[in-house]
Amino acid sequence: MSDLPVRPASPGRFISFEGIDGAGKSSHIEATADWLRSRGHEVLLTREPGGTPLAEQLRTLLLQSPMDALSETLLVFAARRDHLQARIEPALARGAWVLSDRFTDATFAYQGAGRGFDLAVLQQLETWVQQGRQPDLTVWFDLPPAVAAERRAAVRTPDRFEQQDLAFFQRVRDGYAARCAADAGRFVRIDSHQPKEAVWADLRQALEQRAW
Ligand code: TYD
């Protein structure tokens, strides 16, 4: 496990964006990228599962093919390993800001809290695959699962995860809350049950408050 670039002193920043499906991450990730670019930063916009050709293939399998929670977890971490090695670490090393639509907190929320997969095993995989790499900031868009379900129903055909019931998304939401409580310095919770402009104002304030 030694061929990820040696750290710690990477000059770039790594921000992940999380929340249950329908919480409205996407447009705010774009807005964050624009905001950072206007300040002269190089920005890499990426996502998980995905972000490399291999990981995007794994994403297709994960979102479409039925499988148990262990297979799901192993594929998610295989995708993450490739993503870290091929895109995230090189971008951070050259000073870019990496904005990822989801990262490992999603695994703890979906496979761990949602699917009931062993959290201790997830922690081992996290350590093994990431070798200490964590986002510098994680933005958690928090929205009641019932409201998120209404928003999803209005806009898209559900994938394998989005077909889950309300109880599943309540567990996923609780999973995010637990990760947030356990690592409060890394997380910012954004109340997403408000108009889009207000959500963006809260997010921008959180970004500005960081001593970057
Ligand atoms: P999402 O990022 O919401 O993309 P889209 O907006 O195109 O639907 O979808 C990815 C799905 O993958 C989402 O339902 C959560 C799930 N997922 C996991 O279950 N575990 C993980 O570790 C990650 C990163 C995502």
Side-chain angles (χ1 to χ4, degrees), residues 29-128:
I29 299 174
E30 295 282 348
T32 304
D34 290 345
W35 187 81
L36 288 168
R37 285 184 182 122
S38 76
R39 275 157 186 71
H41 297 295
E42 179 194 346
V43 174
L44 170 67
L45 266 181
T46 189
R47 67 174 182 180
E48 289 214 344
T52 66
L54 172 65
E56 289 291 332
Q57 290 187 56
L58 294 174
R59 177 188 179 92
T60 303
L61 292 173
L62 277 157
L63 298 191
Q64 293 174 8
S65 310
M67 65 186 80
D68 76 355
L70 174 57
S71 301
E72 217 167 86
T73 300
L74 293 173
L75 288 186
V76 158
F77 273 107
R80 183 161 299 134
R81 166 82 179 167
D82 194 56
H83 192 202
L84 275 166
Q85 230 178 350
R87 281 199 93 189
I88 295 177
E89 294 293 351
L92 291 174
R94 65 172 187 266
W97 288 57
V98 175
L99 307 185
S100 188
D101 186 342
R102 302 190 185 281
F103 196 63
T104 306
D105 299 302
T107 315
F108 280 82
Y110 281 79
Q111 281 66 51
R115 303 267 267 140
F117 191 77
D118 190 334
L119 296 181
V121 176
L122 292 186
Q123 258 149 19
Q124 282 182 333
L125 287 166
E126 179 182 35
T127 304
W128 198 31

Side-chain angles (χ1 to χ4, degrees), residues 160-183:
R160 206 166 64 82
F161 291 99
E162 292 170 347
Q163 286 163 12
Q164 300 289 326
D165 62 13
L166 214 50
F168 175 85
F169 283 107
Q170 187 58 56
R171 292 196 298 280
V172 173
R173 194 246 154 220
D174 293 346
Y176 279 124
R179 288 285 280 184
C180 178
D183 200 355

Side-chain angles (χ1 to χ4, degrees), residues 186-200:
R186 172 167 66 86
F187 269 86
V188 59
R189 176 189 169 274
I190 304 284
D191 176 6
S192 299
H193 198 187
Q194 37 173 2
K196 203 167 164 180
E197 299 71 35
V199 171
W200 169 241

